[in-house]
């Protein structure tokens, strides 16, 4: 039963999943969930704001899990571990923001607080009177005499997520800030000369026993991301979400023309269970035995081709061809880690195209019941995200995004295509054939 505005209930569980839900359709804006951790009514720093561009609190107590869709019903989820909330934090404000419209255009808006262990509903609040608001405080988790409670709030804002966040002390970067052109006061320093063409080895398959298809750096693989300034940057609220109707974006138009582009894949395993009356619910659990591998096929402007992946230790390099680096091999799918590729945008002239894809190495027979989010975050410019559609075929390889150089620009194209390998054909060979990369593949192991 939905709570009345202002009502409160005890929260007996310590591990919670908070689901912001609504019904999508023509003319319905996208909706995003976020959380603010407050001390004396304000955040202590911008790190106390958890949302789509800042997916986890440093304490690990709150995490933004991303969206899921089932037909027209959409949810954006947060995980809250009350046992890890710092003692100084008095309230966790749960908010909703509309992207591209008002909440008067969003049907069936509600927030549900669930016991993360078994999916039992702890609290529910449905917003029924929204009109021109573009942000809402849907509810809050707060301490009372050593215990946690949930209060239904329903307070609307006409100033969007920026206005709401600013009210609680968040420093927000200016929206739609023009990206300055490269410095013109003095000629830019020439880029380091690329490695001689003769140094590049021929393309090879996932488990070739010879070294990677690119020159190895003289020292261990460099850190994928440039060093950050010690001064905290303002929170950036801008984002780009790729959909079937709007599947591509120009990095130049988003300001992402230099620095590093990080590609992150994170995932969750859906476990089916019964427990909400006659309806079927879903609990979410990370599956430690599941191993997904983020990979990339690349073709450079000199015609050389290769693969970046954990198989064969083909982790690549940022400062040498192919200017792409795989951070490591993650088995948790956690939002704070997941699988990460980094692309050196300072050498974008070296690229012809990059196909980012994911394979199931072990732990599952297909992508069915896996919820995955792909986020491409340029060092400068708005993050680009998209969600994988529900898998209905026995697929073990999925093409995620195709990045193509067009003049001085890189264009990101959402693929989200599940492929089914033929019997005896590897996932890598399957995606190679589908996109006509033309490489030779041999079996291999990690």
């Amino acid at each position: 039963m939905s709570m009345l505005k202002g009502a409160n209930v005890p929260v007996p569980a310590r591990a919670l999943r908070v689901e912001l839900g609504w019904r999508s359709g023509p003319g319905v804006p996208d909706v995003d969930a976020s959380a603010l951790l407050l001390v004396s009514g304000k955040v202590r720093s911008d790190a106390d704001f958890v949302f789509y561009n800042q997916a986890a609190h440093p304490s690990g107590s709150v995490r933004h899990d991303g969206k899921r869709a089932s037909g027209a019903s959409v949810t954006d989820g947060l995980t809250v571990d009350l046992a890890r909330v710092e003692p100084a934090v008095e309230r966790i404000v749960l908010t909703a923001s509309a992207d591209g419209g008002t909440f008067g255009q969003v049907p069936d808006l509600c927030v549900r607080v669930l016991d993360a262990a078994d999916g039992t509903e702890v609290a529910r609040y449905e917003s029924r009177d929204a009109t021109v608001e573009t942000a809402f405080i849907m509810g809050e988790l707060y301490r009372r005499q050593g215990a946690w409670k949930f209060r239904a709030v329903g307070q609307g804002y006409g100033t969007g997520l920026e206005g709401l966040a600013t009210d609680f002390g968040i420093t927000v970067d200016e929206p739609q800030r023009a990206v300055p052109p490269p410095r013109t006061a003095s000629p830019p320093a020439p880029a380091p000369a690329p490695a001689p063409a003769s140094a590049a080895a021929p393309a090879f398959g996932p488990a070739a026993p010879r070294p990677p298809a690119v020159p190895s750096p003289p020292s261990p693989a460099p850190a994928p991301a440039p060093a950050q300034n010690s001064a905290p940057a303002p929170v950036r609220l801008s984002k780009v979400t790729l959909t079937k109707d709007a599947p591509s974006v120009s990095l130049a138009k988003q300001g992402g023309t230099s620095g590093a582009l990080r590609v992150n894949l994170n995932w969750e395993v859906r476990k089916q269970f019964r427990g909400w009356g006659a309806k079927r619910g879903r609990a979410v659990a990370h599956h430690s035995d599941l191993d997904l591998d983020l990979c990339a096929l690349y073709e450079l402007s000199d015609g050389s081709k290769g693969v970046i992946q954990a198989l064969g230790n083909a982790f690549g390099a940022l400062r040498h061809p192919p200017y792409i680096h795989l951070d490591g091999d993650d088995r948790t799918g956690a939002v704070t880690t997941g699988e990460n590729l980094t692309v050196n945008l300072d050498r974008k002239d070296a690229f012809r195209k990059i196909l980012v894809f994911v394979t199931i190495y072990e732990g599952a027979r297909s992508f069915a019941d896996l919820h995955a989010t792909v986020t491409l975050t340029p060092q400068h410019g708005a993050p680009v995200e998209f969600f994988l559609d529900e898998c209905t075929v026995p697929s073990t390889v999925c093409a995620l995004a195709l990045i193509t150089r067009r003049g001085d620009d890189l264009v990101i194209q959402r693929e989200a295509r599940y492929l089914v390998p033929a019997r005896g054909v590897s996932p890598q060979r399957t995606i190679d054939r589908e996109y006509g990369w033309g490489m030779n593949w041999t079996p291999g192991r990690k």
Side-chain angles (χ1 to χ4, degrees):
M1 179 180 297
S2 179
M3 300 170 60
L4 296 176
K5 188 181 297 187
N8 62 78
V9 295
V11 177
R14 308 302 282 176
L16 305 173
R17 177 169 173 82
V18 178
E19 291 187 347
L20 178 69
W22 69 97
R23 181 161 48 87
S24 65
V28 178
D30 192 23
V31 179
D32 295 293
S34 55
L36 297 115
L37 287 73
L38 306 183
V39 177
S40 300
K42 296 285 186 178
V43 298
R44 295 162 296 180
S45 71
D46 292 346
D48 284 339
F49 185 27
V50 178
F51 70 119
Y52 47 80
N53 282 351
Q54 191 163 273
H57 191 263
S59 68
S61 59
V62 182
R63 187 180 72 235
H64 179 255
D65 293 330
K67 294 185 176 73
R68 291 184 290 172
S70 178
S73 297
V74 185
T75 62
D76 195 12
L78 297 162
T79 298
V80 181
D81 186 347
L82 296 176
R84 300 180 70 175
V85 177
E86 298 149 299
V89 174
E90 300 157 351
R91 290 193 291 153
I92 302 174
V93 173
L94 307 171
T95 72
S97 56
D99 186 8
T102 68
F103 277 107
Q105 303 167 273
V106 180
D108 300 342
L109 180 68
C110 72
V111 62
R112 302 171 69 219
V113 180
L114 310 174
D115 184 332
D118 59 14
T120 302
E121 186 173 280
V122 175
R124 174 200 289 260
Y125 170 65
E126 298 173 359
S127 175
R128 303 181 184 276
D129 55 357
T131 54
V132 298
E133 299 87 352
T134 50
F136 258 100
I137 298 178
M138 297 294 291
E140 62 181 12
L141 296 162
Y142 65 99
R143 297 183 196 263
R144 180 60 54 88
Q145 296 179 347
W148 285 93
K149 304 184 79 173
F150 171 81
R151 177 185 291 117
V153 178
Q155 178 183 348
Y157 285 72
T159 52
L161 184 59
E162 178 181 2
L164 187 156
T166 302
D167 276 0
F168 288 103
I170 295 295
T171 304
V172 177
D173 199 1
E174 295 180 12
Q176 305 298 322
R177 176 178 294 178
V179 177
R183 297 177 183 176
T184 56
S186 59
S198 60
F204 75 105
R210 54 185 179 271
V214 296
S216 299
S219 57
Q228 300 294 320
N229 295 329
S230 57
V235 170
R236 183 184 293 271
L237 299 183
S238 57
K239 66 169 183 172
V240 177
T241 300
L242 300 183
T243 65
K244 290 181 180 178
D245 295 331
S248 63
V249 64
S250 158
L251 275 182
K253 290 182 180 179
Q254 299 301 320
T257 56
S258 62
L261 170 69
R262 170 157 293 199
V263 184
N264 173 265
L265 172 73
N266 66 75
W267 63 90
E268 295 169 331
V269 181
R270 298 168 177 168
K271 290 178 62 179
Q272 298 289 338
F273 68 97
R274 295 187 179 275
W276 302 336
K279 295 184 179 180
R280 175 173 293 182
R282 280 178 174 171
V284 179
H286 291 291
H287 204 288
S288 59
D289 295 331
L290 178 66
D291 187 7
L292 302 187
D293 284 344
L294 185 63
C295 315
L297 289 170
Y298 63 84
E299 181 177 348
L300 301 184
S301 55
D302 63 4
S304 60
K305 300 177 181 180
V307 64
I308 302 296
Q309 60 179 6
L311 284 175
N313 295 320
F315 290 98
L318 274 187
R319 296 174 178 83
H320 303 272
Y323 307 111
I324 307 169
H325 182 259
L326 177 64
D327 289 9
D329 185 23
D330 181 77
R331 294 193 175 211
T332 66
V335 175
T336 51
T337 54
E339 295 261 328
N340 294 281
L341 276 167
T342 306
V343 179
N344 186 350
L345 295 182
D346 292 332
R347 300 309 306 268
K348 61 181 180 294
D349 59 321
F351 300 120
R352 185 171 293 169
K353 57 183 178 178
I354 304 168
L355 178 64
V356 182
F357 66 100
V358 58
T359 67
I360 298 176
Y361 183 72
E362 63 182 10
R365 295 183 179 179
S366 79
F367 287 101
D369 290 331
L370 299 184
H371 167 59
T373 304
V374 182
T375 307
L376 300 93
T377 306
Q379 185 177 349
H380 309 289
V384 178
E385 68 174 7
F386 62 88
F387 313 101
L388 297 186
D389 301 321
E390 188 169 347
C391 179
T392 58
V393 295
S395 170
T396 55
V397 58
C398 179
L400 300 178
L402 182 64
I403 304 173
T404 307
R405 183 164 67 90
R406 299 179 185 174
D408 293 331
D409 192 10
L410 290 177
V411 175
I412 299 173
Q413 172 80 25
R414 175 188 187 270
E415 296 293 304
R417 296 177 58 193
Y418 294 106
L419 305 179
V420 181
R423 183 181 295 274
V425 178
S426 69
Q428 289 86 348
R429 188 186 298 272
T430 299
I431 203 159
D432 181 306
R433 289 178 178 176
E434 185 70 20
Y435 284 85
W437 229 263
M439 294 174 58
N440 296 318
W441 299 89
T442 57
R445 297 179 182 275
K446 288 198 252 186

